Amino acid sequence: EVQLVESGGGLVKPGGSLRLSCAASGFTFSSYSMNWVRQAPGKGLEWVSSISSSSSYIYYADSVKGRFTISRDNAKNSLYLQMNSLRAEDTAVYYCARDLGGTTAYFDLWGRGTLVTVSS
Amino acid sequence: DIQMTQSPSSLSASVGDRVTITCRASQGITTYLAWYQQKPGRVPKLLIYAASTLQPGVPSRFSGSGSGTDFTLTISSLQPEDVATYYCQKYNSAPWTFGQGTKVEIK
């Protein structure tokens, strides 16, 4: 089955760190760019970060630049998001999503998400 | 950065009505525009890409149009299962910005 499964969410104190993972299966992971998108409770979708298929190109939203680091391991079919210096406003469901990059960089497969709560 | 603005923020329509949602980009993005549907409590789902190409499996009552800065998502005959929030997204270059969403309800 073609799917993405996120893990690693939880409750963390402001200033703390968390590492999210996204396990891919059922497709050739190394052929796709990958993304993190988040959704705060009751709010809309916010793109967070993207990484190209070979990790050559990495992008971040201004809201997380310098605090979050995206990475991937194509041998393990896995995507990661290292989140440091977490703030209350980072509280959200974090989704991973794939895209084919270039002119086809729309997100055609999403995971079910993992909830990150930043609170003291 | 290019901003994406959707209108309206919410709408209520009757079953069978034609529904139109608008998305405006602050700069031209040719047709690098996707539409997503997110039903309550569910994961976002790709409906349309390249402004007007229907993702396989999406009902034909959904259609998209536009290029440059102005785009529309149309539901030709609203069904109860279409209750959801709809988002546009630009994907020509980073950042891959989403619109703020349009919540569609049944009257």
Side-chain angles (χ1 to χ4, degrees):
Chain A
E1 183 184 0
V2 176
Q3 64 177 354
L4 297 167
V5 179
E6 302 91 338
S7 61
L11 175 63
V12 61
K13 289 181 168 53
S17 299
L18 212 54
R19 189 194 196 209
L20 305 184
S21 299
C22 171
S25 59
F27 64 97
T28 305
F29 180 73
S30 59
S31 296
Y32 287 82
S33 296
M34 295 298 297
N35 308 271
W36 289 100
V37 177
R38 69 185 181 183
Q39 187 169 36
K43 302 297 184 182
L45 302 173
E46 178 188 14
W47 169 79
V48 172
S49 183
S50 294
I51 185 168
S52 62
S53 57
S54 60
S55 303
S56 297
Y57 300 97
I58 288 175
Y59 305 94
Y60 297 99
D62 287 344
S63 57
V64 307
K65 202 171 293 182
R67 300 187 299 122
F68 290 11
T69 302
I70 192 172
S71 62
R72 66 189 294 161
D73 185 336
N74 287 343
K76 295 183 177 180
N77 292 335
S78 293
L79 172 73
Y80 307 101
L81 186 68
Q82 177 66 43
M83 304 187 295
N84 298 331
S85 303
L86 282 162
R87 307 166 179 167
E89 54 264 37
D90 295 319
T91 294
V93 173
Y94 284 73
Y95 299 100
C96 62
R98 74 176 190 184
D99 75 75
L100 275 169
T103 59
T104 55
Y106 45 84
F107 302 170
D108 71 332
L109 179 68
W110 297 62
R112 303 187 81 165
T114 186
L115 176 63
V116 172
T117 303
V118 184
S119 175
S120 54
Chain B
D1 292 347
I2 296 174
Q3 305 304 312
M4 306 300 292
T5 304
Q6 288 182 234
S7 61
S9 297
S10 65
L11 66 89
S12 181
S14 299
V15 172
D17 281 356
R18 183 180 184 88
V19 168
T20 298
I21 298 168
T22 297
C23 177
R24 176 163 289 174
S26 60
Q27 298 175 41
I29 57 171
T30 61
T31 56
Y32 292 111
L33 192 282
W35 289 97
Y36 300 87
Q37 175 193 61
Q38 187 177 31
K39 295 183 178 182
R42 305 291 295 274
V43 175
K45 171 188 171 184
L46 176 67
L47 290 181
I48 287 169
Y49 60 92
S52 62
T53 303
L54 221 58
Q55 178 73 347
V58 173
S60 59
R61 62 181 179 274
F62 291 93
S63 64
S65 65
S67 67
T69 60
D70 294 312
F71 303 88
T72 59
L73 172 69
T74 299
I75 308 173
S76 60
S77 177
L78 187 67
Q79 299 302 304
E81 59 266 33
D82 300 334
V83 167
T85 300
Y86 295 84
Y87 297 91
C88 63
Q89 181 207 25
K90 61 170 279 292
Y91 59 89
N92 59 318
S93 62
W96 284 266
T97 309
F98 291 90
Q100 80 278 17
T102 296
K103 187 174 185 178
V104 174
E105 298 176 319
I106 300 290
K107 194 181 294 183

